[in-house]
Amino acid sequence: MKQRWMLRLRLWAAAWGAGQVGLAGSAMAASSDDSFAALSEYIEQARQDWKVPGVAVGVIRDGEVVYVRGFGAREVGKEPRVDAHTLFQIGSLTKAFTATALGLLVDEGKLSWDDPVVKHVPSFRVADPWLTQNITVRDVVGHRTGLEGGTHTIVPTDSARLLHDTSRLTSRVPFRDAVLYSNTMYDVAGQVVAAVAGMSWDEFVRRRLFVPLQMSESSPDVVAAGIWPRERLAPTMYGRAPAGRASLDDVPKANVAMPHWLTEQGSRALPWQILLTNGGGASGSIVSNLQDLLQWTRFNLGEGRDASGSALIRAATLREVQTPQLFIRDAPSASFEIQWSAVERLDPEAARRAYPPAYALGWFVNSYRGYRYVDHGGALLGGTSSIAFMPERRMAVVVLANSYGYGGRGMLNDAITLRAFDQMLGVESHDWSADFLRTMQAGERERQAADQQLQRSRLKNAPHSLPLSAYVGEYENDAFGKIRVEQTGKELTLQLPGVFSWRLQHWHHDTFRLQVGNDGLELMQFFLNFQVDARGRVSSFDPGWVLLGGAFKPVAK
């Protein structure tokens, strides 16, 4: 994987030096309106193939919205259909709003992209004092800090705890050397907006972006949206709603899409999720719909003008937000790898003339069919969103889906997006849905084979070395804080802050399988290993999941 991206960088650098990188030649005329009927058929078939209950799709051509349509159900097994006004949690599409909010403050002379974060948020700290003083606003929204974090997707967190937890972060990659995606750093960016603007990130985004862009149905976070009773909201991405399950039946007058998790028995609805308990989830908290996001996308395709045609942000600042800050050497996600590896297989020569993969400020930058391709995806548990646009062609595609779908990677969004661009560019359309499905099916076969091998390697008659009660207690680490291991009958559970716990299934010896779940759904599995010292006491355990930080040690009594 790393070699592929490095090859692209070398080829791009050579072409740049020779002055060969530019826009592709004029493409064939854009698809006729009849082609959108074919696109509708393609989307509906793909939605069914990927087992996604509902999806909303919008297309912009020549800077104008030319296609808006919803497909399927807002909740599996229920009648209400998805349409252009159906609200979704859009996850990391929020990041571009945060970067643009900072750009507005740059325009006003209130901050610079290269200001140290501590200049505006003096309480900001990371574990390394030098990094604390040198991390800039640009580093934070360009994923260049080398810090990750992410515990607030598990533990209910407010802005005060966010800054406290950030003070424990240590580098995972060298500073400004590689793109390391960090939701935590984007929430820090939200604190910068609040400090400089003199109002919360939520209020600033609402006043300065939603209002002038006439995004009247959008909200900065799920609580501000006022749709759900608090007890029907999960306190974190992996948390459990206090009232248990949630359904459209709980909010019959609201036009909302329920997130879903695909199981062997079919799709099951999940509750909406809170990012930060007091708002300000600048990494991924916005609630929006297709209609409003098409407004937002047209703004990003243009010269930074609002709905009335007045300048909202300087064109140069908007270009800076969309300009690469650091090239991507390693794919940041499995879906990124699947999508762009497939694109390269289709056109192996693309690397010789393409824009290399990079991260800008709230946007990824890549190339497709020879054109600059700016995009970002978003995902909370059970839902995916994506925006992609070609600035030079003034084309864009917006896709919102209420499930990750088959394989759990959200590839339906990418398949629809690339298919729509193919039609608008007038090139021979490729069946991206079938292509990605084959990859996911092959991956599923590999996963099953690996699981079977794992089961065969499991040691028989290898009991835990201590009574279960000896593992019970409170543990802590620097990154996550405190956590409890409890005994329920003949099993252990990992009790997390909030209203949920995860099962620890004994595997062999002092290894337990951590089953990350939500209201009876099994989402992920990791192996947790207890260490027992010479005195026959638990000295630590490794949770096996990076979001939980490193080893936990017993809390001194």
Side-chain angles (χ1 to χ4, degrees), residues 221-240:
D221 66 79
V222 65
V223 176
I227 300 167
W228 295 95
R230 194 69 177 244
E231 66 272 13
R232 295 290 177 183
L233 293 171
T236 67
M237 185 169 172
Y238 294 101
R240 180 177 181 274

Side-chain angles (χ1 to χ4, degrees), residues 20 22-29 353 368-371 393 425 427:
Q20 294 174 354
L23 296 180
S26 59
M28 296 170 59
R353 60 179 183 274
Y368 183 65
R369 303 289 192 181
Y371 294 99
R393 292 303 303 266
L425 290 169
V427 300

Side-chain angles (χ1 to χ4, degrees), residues 480-493:
F480 190 87
K482 293 181 179 179
I483 203 169
R484 282 194 60 81
V485 174
E486 296 184 353
Q487 183 176 352
T488 304
K490 296 182 179 181
E491 286 193 335
L492 296 177
T493 59

Side-chain angles (χ1 to χ4, degrees), residues 405-419:
Y406 176 80
R409 300 294 184 187
M411 298 306 300
L412 173 65
N413 294 54
D414 298 318
I416 292 171
T417 297
L418 296 184
R419 181 71 171 207

Side-chain angles (χ1 to χ4, degrees), residues 43-361:
I43 293 169
E44 177 57 23
Q45 185 60 56
R47 182 189 71 79
Q48 294 180 31
D49 290 344
W50 287 93
K51 298 179 172 58
V52 171
V55 62
V57 181
V59 174
I60 295 172
R61 185 174 61 192
D62 296 327
E64 299 297 329
V65 176
V66 294
Y67 181 88
V68 179
R69 185 162 175 184
F71 300 81
R74 290 189 253 148
E75 181 177 355
V76 67
K78 298 191 181 298
E79 185 60 31
R81 315 306 285 174
V82 172
D83 60 33
H85 299 274
T86 302
L87 293 169
F88 294 75
Q89 289 189 276
I90 66 170
S92 288
L93 294 188
T94 302
K95 290 180 171 62
F97 286 86
T98 298
T100 304
L102 290 165
L104 292 173
L105 296 170
V106 169
D107 281 357
E108 294 171 2
K110 294 181 178 179
L111 65 77
S112 164
W113 292 115
D114 297 310
D115 283 347
V117 171
V118 290
K119 176 180 178 180
H120 304 290
V121 185
S123 58
F124 171 73
R125 296 285 185 278
V126 297
D128 184 325
W130 185 89
L131 278 179
T132 296
Q133 296 302 315
N134 287 277
I135 289 174
T136 66
V137 175
R138 187 187 303 274
D139 294 325
V140 164
V141 289
H143 292 313
R144 308 190 315 179
T145 65
L147 305 164
E148 187 173 30
T151 59
H152 65 303
T153 62
I154 301 172
V155 179
T157 302
D158 60 17
S159 53
R161 170 160 179 162
L162 171 73
L163 291 173
H164 175 265
D165 291 350
T166 300
S167 69
R168 303 169 174 174
L169 292 182
T170 57
S171 297
R172 291 195 59 216
V173 298
F175 183 49
R176 295 178 185 166
D177 181 67
V179 172
L180 182 63
Y181 198 88
S182 176
N183 288 312
T184 296
M185 288 296 107
Y186 256 85
D187 287 324
V188 169
Q191 299 299 306
V192 174
V193 171
V196 175
M199 67 182 78
S200 69
W201 171 88
D202 308 53
E203 187 62 16
F204 188 85
V205 167
R206 189 189 68 78
R207 288 188 192 180
R208 299 294 302 277
L209 291 173
F210 290 171
V211 171
L213 294 174
Q214 295 182 5
M215 297 177 64
S216 60
E217 298 179 15
S218 298
S219 300
D221 66 79
V222 65
V223 176
I227 300 167
W228 295 95
R230 194 69 177 244
E231 66 272 13
R232 295 290 177 183
L233 293 171
T236 67
M237 185 169 172
Y238 294 101
R240 180 177 181 274
R245 299 183 185 183
S247 168
L248 294 183
D249 296 338
D250 299 313
V251 286
K253 296 182 179 180
N255 187 350
V256 299
M258 296 303 299
H260 293 82
W261 193 261
L262 183 61
T263 72
E264 292 181 357
Q265 292 73 41
S267 294
R268 204 180 95 183
L270 296 172
W272 282 33
Q273 301 128 46
I274 297 172
L275 263 70
L276 291 183
T277 56
N278 63 338
S283 64
S285 69
I286 286 177
V287 173
S288 192
N289 58 23
L290 183 60
Q291 173 177 272
D292 282 6
L293 289 175
L294 287 167
Q295 288 283 84
W296 165 246
T297 306
R298 290 183 67 204
F299 161 78
N300 280 280
L301 268 176
E303 294 295 315
R305 298 186 181 278
D306 64 19
S308 69
S310 301
L312 179 59
I313 191 171
R314 292 176 182 170
T317 303
L318 189 63
R319 286 195 296 272
E320 182 72 9
V321 169
Q322 298 171 12
T323 296
Q325 305 295 314
L326 196 62
F327 293 130
I328 294 171
R329 294 202 298 267
D330 298 303
S333 66
S335 58
F336 188 98
E337 158 77 353
I338 292 167
Q339 177 182 1
W340 294 107
S341 294
V343 169
E344 288 189 17
R345 285 197 305 272
L346 181 68
D347 184 7
E349 294 299 310
R352 297 187 179 277
R353 60 179 183 274
Y355 298 87
Y359 199 82
L361 303 175

